[in-house]
Amino acid sequence: MKRILITGGAGFIGSHLCDRLLREGNDVICLDNYFTGSKDNIRHLLGNDHFELVRHDVINPYHAEVDEIYNLACPASPPHYQYNPIKTIKTSVMGAINMLGLAKRTKAKILQASTSEVYGDPAIHPQVESYWGNVNPIGIRSCYDEGKRCAETLFMDYHRQNGVRIKIIRIFNTYGPRMNPNDGRVVSNFIVQALKGEDITIYGDGTQTRSFQYVDDLIEAMIRMMATGDDFIGPVNTGNPGEFTMLELAEKVIELTNSTSKIVYCPLPGDDPKQRKPDIALAKEKLDWEPRLKLNEGLRKTIAYFEEKCKRHA
């Protein structure tokens, strides 16, 4: 049995990771300040003797004896990370420093949940891990993009200078149950709008592309990455190489929800990437991993979750 710390453990992805690690027989400490996470996501775990919930902000140091750390803490959707951009970059940078310090002291293995946003508005397609990115350092998304890039730098320097055992994954668009309905991400936006019969808002002309992976596929990649030997530290892309335009996604959601919603177009926000698609050759080679769930099936599971959530709050 390992003692595992998950920062951002009450968030969308973190809560699914808590579930999985507990099922595998580990002790799990879930750290969250509830800025975007929610107790509802982990309420079903509160009676589990192997689960510990701690309200804590990773901007401040945290002390515990642990074997592994998954550093997920950071708001990840544009409305949330732009709400308080200084707080966002502090979470990425100071949170990384504090968790790396803990890993150094306890000799724990630590995984950084980085993001495809480190590639910015990419000049190459699909994106490979060796690509350095095309990021605006002074734009409205910079607090998140550059915060995550700096966190990767810190991980590499703690590894080179102090021998900390690190893992870095770059997460591409992920969706599934427990997404926050108000997080401003495209999948949750479209589903909520479709279920309410409201207009579905597409920013730009709808030709910009994204790749969507179901949350269970991501959790599998994270577990496999943490289990790799010390000779492989990443970064490694975790995402679904299936590529869809925003218009295609909106049409799929309307079809699967039997919605009467109409599609409307709004101006494109600043620095919004036009293309996003992972090259996952490295994940296939090193982790023997690729996403399994097709978009239609994953959307059905996610729609069912939001339908149930709407009923409970009706």
Side-chain angles (χ1 to χ4, degrees), residues 33-166:
N33 68 348
Y34 307 124
F35 177 62
T36 56
S38 168
K39 268 191 187 169
D40 286 343
N41 289 338
I42 41 83
R43 196 175 299 280
H44 61 290
L45 300 175
L46 294 178
N48 189 323
D49 290 342
H50 297 291
F51 180 74
E52 186 179 340
L53 178 62
V54 180
R55 184 171 193 146
H56 184 85
D57 192 321
V58 293
I59 286 174
N60 303 307
Y62 177 75
H63 302 287
E65 298 305 316
V66 294
D67 303 301
E68 293 178 354
I69 303 166
Y70 288 83
N71 188 37
L72 276 61
C74 190
S77 70
H80 286 153
Y81 66 64
Q82 289 168 8
Y83 172 75
N84 188 340
I86 295 171
K87 175 81 170 173
T88 296
I89 199 162
K90 283 170 78 175
T91 301
S92 282
V93 176
M94 295 169 69
I97 290 169
N98 287 326
M99 288 305 118
L100 285 161
L102 178 61
K104 179 186 171 187
R105 185 180 67 78
T106 60
K107 297 183 168 48
K109 195 187 288 189
I110 181 167
L111 180 143
Q112 168 66 6
S114 191
T115 171
S116 60
E117 298 294 336
V118 300
Y119 299 123
D121 189 5
I124 67 164
H125 192 73
Q127 290 79 60
V128 293
E129 290 87 351
S130 57
Y131 176 53
W132 291 355
N134 176 36
V135 177
N136 177 2
I138 57 170
I140 58 169
R141 299 170 72 105
S142 308
C143 59
Y144 183 68
D145 302 358
E146 296 289 35
K148 289 287 192 178
R149 285 163 69 94
C150 184
E152 286 195 17
T153 303
L154 284 162
F155 266 67
M156 292 303 300
D157 286 338
Y158 267 77
H159 171 67
R160 286 186 286 243
Q161 186 173 325
N162 298 316
V164 174
R165 294 185 298 152
I166 66 164

Side-chain angles (χ1 to χ4, degrees), residues 286-302:
K286 298 290 190 180
L287 310 180
D288 190 25
W289 174 90
E290 60 183 311
R292 297 183 177 278
L293 209 70
K294 298 282 188 260
L295 183 60
N296 274 23
E297 192 181 343
L299 285 175
R300 285 193 185 96
K301 289 172 182 274
T302 311

Side-chain angles (χ1 to χ4, degrees), residues 243-286:
E243 189 178 8
F244 297 89
T245 67
M246 296 298 94
L247 188 55
E248 285 174 318
L249 179 68
E251 288 167 347
K252 271 184 185 292
V253 169
I254 289 171
E255 177 192 338
L256 292 170
T257 54
N258 296 311
S259 178
T260 56
S261 294
K262 302 286 187 290
I263 294 172
V264 297
Y265 296 88
C266 302
L268 194 67
D271 296 332
D272 196 57
K274 296 169 197 66
Q275 288 182 306
R276 190 54 63 67
K277 175 183 173 177
D279 182 308
I280 61 166
L282 190 61
K284 286 181 179 177
E285 177 197 343
K286 298 290 190 180

